[in-house]
Amino acid sequence: MITFDGVSKRFPDGSLAVDDFSLTIPSRTTTVLVGSSGSGKTTLLRMINRMVDPTSGRILIDDEDVAGLDPVKLRRRIGYVMQNSGLLPHRTVIDNVATVPILEGVKKSEAHARALELLDTVGLDRGLAKRYPAQLSGGQQQRVGVARGLAVDPNILLMDEPFGAVDPLVRDELQQELLRIQRDLSKTVVFVTHDIDEAFLLGDQVVILRTGGVIAQAGTPAEILANPIDEFVASFVGADRGKRSLHVDPAHTSGERGERVLVDGGGRAVGILRDEAPAPRSPGAVAP
Ligand code: ADP
Ligand code: MG
């Protein structure tokens, strides 16, 4: 479990990136922080592994204040995946994946064997192991980034807009791959995006942020879709957004008990929302 307890971050230039943020992130589920550019998402994520230290407040991992932990050790036991893969350009795919485990003292042969398994995990052909990052497509590079994030078998995986730079079809594939990986591995995933559809697809818990990391609403996708707390959230969730967005169809409040119907952008009903439903995994998990 990760706990943010009254966390603020003011950068030296005076900008208040995060203002008194408190949140509990349960273990072994996916929490998505979603908000516009500049809302403080990256800053929040980086405070978990101490790439950024808070100005005030505390961040606890399983009740332990990260401020008391060695940043280098902390970073090595937390997976981190970012938008532009962050791969080392002069190292091969397999070396990129195996580097941190080797630094951690794993024998090279073992680290390489494990790296090959991780390529399987993220759906990459082992034949790509000897290539350099520049010889891969953007989607393949992101898969290597995910493999590298998983290489030390971390309990926590931080993902900062990892699929933001790939084209929509590849993004769909990567999202499905992450759902599959997460079903198998059950990591504590903290995923950052500005894309609400992605947030609802991937998140067990979705946290919608305003500027300054101010929480507009937090809940399961179904809770937020069924009851957007205010105009800001309603417009962010956007019943009238682009074609592919999931929304509650006001014209479709149907069924004997007046259940709300969840439809996709093509107008297809994909589920029914029940307020009392136990935390669903994603919009796909709403009651049939
Ligand atoms: P997001 O990831 O949601 O786009 P960030 O966490 O990157 O948001 O940034 C939040 C705010 O903090 C922005 O106003 C940004 O300009 C500011 N900020 C981020 N990093 C720094 C920094 N190193 N120095 C000064 N201001 C920063
Ligand atoms: Mg960011």
Side-chain angles (χ1 to χ4, degrees), residues 58 86 94 108 126 130 150 156 198 220 227 229 260:
R58 297 183 312 158
I94 192 157
K108 192 173 168 187
R126 289 182 177 212
K130 291 281 158 54
L150 293 169
I156 297 172
E198 182 167 70
T220 64
N227 293 305
I229 200 161
R260 278 160 296 201

Side-chain angles (χ1 to χ4, degrees), residues 27-93:
S27 297
R28 299 186 164 275
T29 58
T30 299
T31 291
V32 179
L33 308 178
V34 56
S36 312
S37 175
S39 55
K41 306 181 297 295
T42 295
T43 304
L44 285 165
L45 204 63
R46 291 181 169 204
M47 287 194 286
I48 297 172
N49 68 357
R50 296 200 61 192
M51 289 167 79
V52 171
D53 281 324
T55 313
S56 58
R58 297 183 312 158
I59 294 152
L60 312 172
I61 297 179
D62 296 334
D63 298 324
E64 191 172 19
D65 191 337
V66 297
L69 302 175
D70 178 62
V72 174
K73 284 189 190 147
L74 186 68
R75 261 166 248 161
R76 285 193 190 158
R77 72 176 169 92
I78 295 179
Y80 187 76
V81 185
M82 52 191 147
Q83 180 163 341
N84 291 310
S85 80
L87 299 177
L88 302 165
H90 303 300
R91 297 210 182 168
T92 59
V93 164

Side-chain angles (χ1 to χ4, degrees), residues 44-173:
L44 285 165
L45 204 63
R46 291 181 169 204
M47 287 194 286
I48 297 172
N49 68 357
R50 296 200 61 192
M51 289 167 79
V52 171
D53 281 324
T55 313
S56 58
R58 297 183 312 158
I59 294 152
L60 312 172
I61 297 179
D62 296 334
D63 298 324
E64 191 172 19
D65 191 337
V66 297
L69 302 175
D70 178 62
V72 174
K73 284 189 190 147
L74 186 68
R75 261 166 248 161
R76 285 193 190 158
R77 72 176 169 92
I78 295 179
Y80 187 76
V81 185
M82 52 191 147
Q83 180 163 341
N84 291 310
S85 80
L87 299 177
L88 302 165
H90 303 300
R91 297 210 182 168
T92 59
V93 164
I94 192 157
D95 284 336
N96 264 284
V97 177
T99 293
V100 174
I102 289 170
L103 284 170
E104 285 291 273
V106 177
K107 275 203 312 209
K108 192 173 168 187
S109 56
E110 268 173 46
H112 277 195
R114 165 104 179 106
L116 289 175
E117 285 174 20
L118 281 166
L119 295 187
D120 301 340
T121 302
V122 300
L124 275 180
D125 192 304
R126 289 182 177 212
L128 300 175
K130 291 281 158 54
R131 291 217 191 154
Y132 289 89
Q135 299 171 306
L136 303 178
S137 71
Q140 288 170 333
Q141 289 180 24
Q142 288 311 108
R143 288 176 194 262
V144 177
V146 175
R148 193 183 53 165
L150 293 169
V152 293
D153 196 19
N155 294 325
I156 297 172
L157 187 60
L158 308 178
M159 307 185 82
D160 193 351
E161 312 219 24
F163 311 144
V166 296
D167 69 64
L169 283 178
V170 175
R171 187 182 315 143
D172 288 349
E173 276 175 32

